[in-house]
């Protein structure tokens, strides 16, 4: 067996990006994906936004207030459904510990660095591949539906600028000039000009196609179920497929299985503190109007993304375990908010479109897990990106490949230690 062999477990955007950059670095890579080739996992139906503006981690005082409120409000954009489960209790304890202004301030420079490098790498991929995944460096509008949210968002401009993130206030008159086809019913906005967007499904297709051309097999319906250890390192991984079970062996392994990563890591005695946060989206084909910029509706936490001739609305964060069902109580408030503040899109048109749901892998401090396991030198963890999987996909691919090559990563990864929660 060659020392350059790598098995990447997980065929979402994180796993495929690591496979791509590892292959470019000379590794012999195989990707295992538990779902079928036409699956609609978390990497496909999301908002597709690349957001240096999102330098505040999910674990924050604002998120804590929303989580508490959600216990009494089923329509809250962030919905927590507590359960008496050791994993959930552990996640909740660490979330409470990290939902502080100090943690936000400490995390912001790291999230900025990750996001800006990821945007740079997507720009380079777009150039190398001559397009093909809808990359649009158009900036992003943070739309404030209420005067209170506009005041808070405007106050945050100074923090963004102190981090080197370009941000400027947008009046309602300016908004009408930036988006002449849409009549957003909002108090105002902030423009983050370094943000961008892409089409997640097309990115996924491009990565699989180019990996195939580079000699990297992406094996669908191949579920990694258990690692086997020999002399302190992982010897092989047992894989279940339609052809039965088989052992696959490599010099190194990457666990990039999203919300399903903890179960696989447990077979190594490793505890990854990740909970599934369910998101929902609806996508309109050829709507009557299309925005020129992706946007975030701040109050209702809904992302608006033009994708070619499609328009996607994505939102909600529901902690309810590995449940991908779409309850009306979660979908209806999101659609109502869109129809209320984007009057050119009717509620009837939104209701007529089948909704999609995906399980985002969330950590209690809102930062990804990226690094080697301490007990197994040939296992890299790459998971826990929450809502930033696509946004940080490219940079995770580059940093993951550097870890595999045992190079010093371009960005210090101590804060992303997969075992930082004990």
């Amino acid at each position: 067996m060659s020392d350059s062999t790598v098995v990447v477990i997980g065929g979402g955007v994180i796993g495929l990006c690591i496979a791509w950059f590892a292959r470019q670095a000379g590794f012999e890579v195989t990707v295992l994906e538990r779902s079928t080739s036409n699956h609609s996992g978390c990497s496909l139906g999301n908002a597709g936004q690349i957001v240096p503006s999102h330098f505040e981690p999910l674990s924050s005082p604002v998120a804590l207030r929303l989580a508490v409120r959600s216990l009494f409000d089923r329509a809250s954009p962030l919905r927590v459904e507590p359960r008496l489960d050791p994993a959930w209790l552990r996640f909740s304890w660490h979330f409470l510990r990290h939902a502080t202004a100090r943690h936000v301030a400490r995390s912001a420079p790291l999230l900025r660095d990750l996001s800006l490098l990821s945007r740079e790498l997507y720009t380079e991929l777009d150039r190398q591949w001559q397009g093909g995944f809808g990359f649009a460096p158009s900036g992003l509008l943070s739309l404030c539906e209420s005067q209170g949210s506009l005041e808070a968002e405007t106050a945050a401009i100074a923090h963004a600028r102190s981090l080197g993130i370009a941000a400027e206030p947008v009046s309602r008159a300016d908004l009408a000039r930036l988006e002449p086809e849409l009549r957003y019913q909002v108090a105002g906005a902030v423009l983050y000009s370094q943000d961008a967007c892409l089409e997640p499904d097309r990115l996924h297709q491009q990565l699989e196609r180019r990996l195939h051309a580079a000699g990297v097999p992406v094996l669908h319906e191949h579920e990694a179920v258990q690692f086997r250890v020999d002399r302190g390192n992982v010897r092989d991984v047992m894989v279940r497929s339609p052809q039965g079970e088989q052992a696959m062996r490599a010099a190194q392994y990457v666990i990039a299985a999203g919300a399903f990563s903890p179960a696989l890591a447990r077979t190594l005695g490793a505890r990854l503190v990740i909970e599934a946060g369910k998101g929902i989206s609806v996508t309109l084909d050829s709507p009557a109007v299309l925005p020129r910029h992706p946007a975030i509706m701040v109050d209702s936490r809904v992302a608006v993304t033009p994708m070619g001739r499609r328009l996607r609305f994505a939102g909600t964060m529901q902690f309810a375990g590995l449940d991908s069902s779409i309850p009306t109580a979660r979908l209806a408030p999101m659609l109502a908010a869109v129809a209320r503040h984007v009057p050119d899109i009717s509620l009837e048109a939104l209701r007529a479109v089948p909704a999609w749901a995906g399980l985002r892998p969330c950590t209690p401090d809102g930062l990804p897990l990226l690094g080697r396991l301490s007990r197994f030198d040939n296992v890299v963890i790459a998971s826990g990106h929450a809502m930033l999987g696509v946004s940080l996909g490219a940079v995770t691919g580059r940093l993951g490949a550097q870890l595999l090559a045992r190079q010093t990563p371009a960005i210090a990864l101590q804060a992303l230690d997969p075992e930082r929660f004990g």
Side-chain angles (χ1 to χ4, degrees):
M1 178 184 63
S2 169
D3 290 340
S4 66
T5 55
V6 175
V7 166
V8 175
I9 300 164
V13 67
I14 297 298
L16 294 180
C17 281
I18 290 176
W20 172 257
F21 283 98
R23 184 71 189 103
Q24 298 308 294
F27 287 94
E28 300 173 43
V29 186
T30 299
V31 179
L32 306 180
E33 167 55 44
R34 66 195 298 270
S35 302
T36 61
S37 58
N38 62 348
H39 71 100
S40 57
C42 189
S43 293
L44 298 173
N46 60 76
Q49 296 180 350
I50 302 161
V51 281
S53 61
H54 285 40
F55 52 81
E56 183 171 301
L58 178 61
S59 180
S60 68
V62 172
L64 179 58
R65 289 194 293 271
L66 282 172
V68 172
R69 190 180 79 183
S70 79
L71 298 174
F72 312 96
D73 178 12
R74 292 181 61 82
S76 173
L78 190 156
R79 170 72 175 168
V80 173
E81 299 185 9
R83 60 188 190 275
L84 291 176
D85 170 79
W88 170 251
L89 295 174
R90 188 178 304 112
F91 180 92
S92 301
W93 166 247
H94 286 292
F95 179 86
L96 289 170
R97 289 184 60 224
H98 288 91
T100 65
R102 181 181 177 185
H103 173 65
V104 170
R106 188 170 56 239
S107 303
L110 174 59
L111 287 172
R112 171 205 60 196
D113 292 347
L114 290 168
S115 294
L116 289 176
L117 180 52
S118 204
R119 185 191 187 280
E120 181 182 324
L121 292 167
Y122 276 126
T123 301
E124 179 61 20
L125 286 176
D126 181 62
R127 186 192 65 79
Q128 289 178 8
W129 297 350
Q130 299 181 335
F133 56 96
F135 179 73
S138 53
L140 177 140
L141 288 165
S142 191
L143 302 171
C144 303
E145 295 132 275
S146 67
Q147 189 62 36
S149 69
L150 178 60
E151 292 170 1
E153 195 72 12
T154 304
I157 289 176
H159 187 194
R161 288 175 174 172
S162 73
L163 291 166
I165 301 297
E168 57 182 284
V170 176
S171 67
R172 291 184 65 178
D174 291 336
L175 183 60
R177 286 191 289 272
L178 287 169
E179 291 291 359
E181 291 192 40
L182 270 79
R183 295 171 295 132
Y184 282 126
Q185 299 300 302
V186 295
V190 172
L191 174 64
Y192 293 95
S193 57
Q194 290 162 297
D195 286 19
C197 65
L198 53 77
E199 298 179 49
D201 52 345
R202 292 180 64 195
L203 173 65
H204 201 274
Q205 291 163 8
Q206 277 280 346
L207 283 164
E208 284 212 14
R209 183 171 67 82
R210 291 183 180 275
L211 284 168
H212 177 75
V216 175
V218 180
L219 306 179
H220 291 274
E221 296 183 83
H222 279 64
E223 180 181 8
V225 293
Q226 184 173 6
F227 288 110
R228 296 193 298 185
V229 177
D230 181 31
R231 299 177 184 176
N233 267 339
V234 171
R235 182 184 69 196
D236 56 32
V237 61
M238 295 303 298
V239 180
R240 184 181 300 134
S241 73
Q243 291 73 45
E245 284 201 359
Q246 61 176 312
M248 296 194 68
R249 194 170 185 180
Q252 298 190 78
Y253 302 84
V254 178
I255 300 179
F260 299 93
S261 297
L264 185 57
R266 277 197 297 272
T267 70
L268 292 172
R271 178 185 292 168
L272 304 184
V273 184
I274 288 176
E275 282 291 322
K278 180 162 54 183
I280 300 172
S281 72
V282 295
T283 305
L284 299 177
D285 289 322
S286 300
V289 292
L290 277 167
R292 297 181 179 181
H293 304 77
I296 298 288
M297 297 167 58
V298 174
D299 301 64
S300 51
R301 302 296 197 276
V302 175
V304 183
T305 311
M307 298 182 177
R309 287 303 306 168
R310 300 176 297 171
L311 181 58
R312 178 166 295 168
F313 300 95
T316 81
M317 175 69 83
Q318 180 184 16
F319 290 102
L322 295 173
D323 171 18
S324 58
S325 63
I326 306 176
T328 302
R330 302 298 300 153
L331 179 61
M334 186 183 93
L335 300 186
V338 172
R340 187 166 61 251
H341 297 289
V342 193
D344 299 286
I345 304 297
S346 72
L347 188 57
E348 291 72 21
L350 293 167
R351 286 172 173 167
V353 177
W356 168 96
L359 300 176
R360 312 180 187 105
C362 301
T363 63
D365 64 357
L367 298 175
L369 308 181
L370 184 58
R372 292 186 182 274
L373 290 179
S374 59
R375 289 176 55 201
F376 300 98
D377 190 52
N378 63 339
V379 178
V380 171
I381 305 296
S383 188
H385 292 71
M387 299 169 291
L388 300 178
V390 166
S391 186
L392 301 183
V395 70
T396 303
R398 168 65 62 81
L399 296 171
Q402 290 173 340
L403 285 170
L404 291 168
R406 302 187 186 277
Q407 300 171 347
T408 300
I411 295 174
L413 301 180
Q414 288 86 342
L416 307 184
D417 180 1
E419 298 169 295
R420 62 184 179 269
F421 304 112

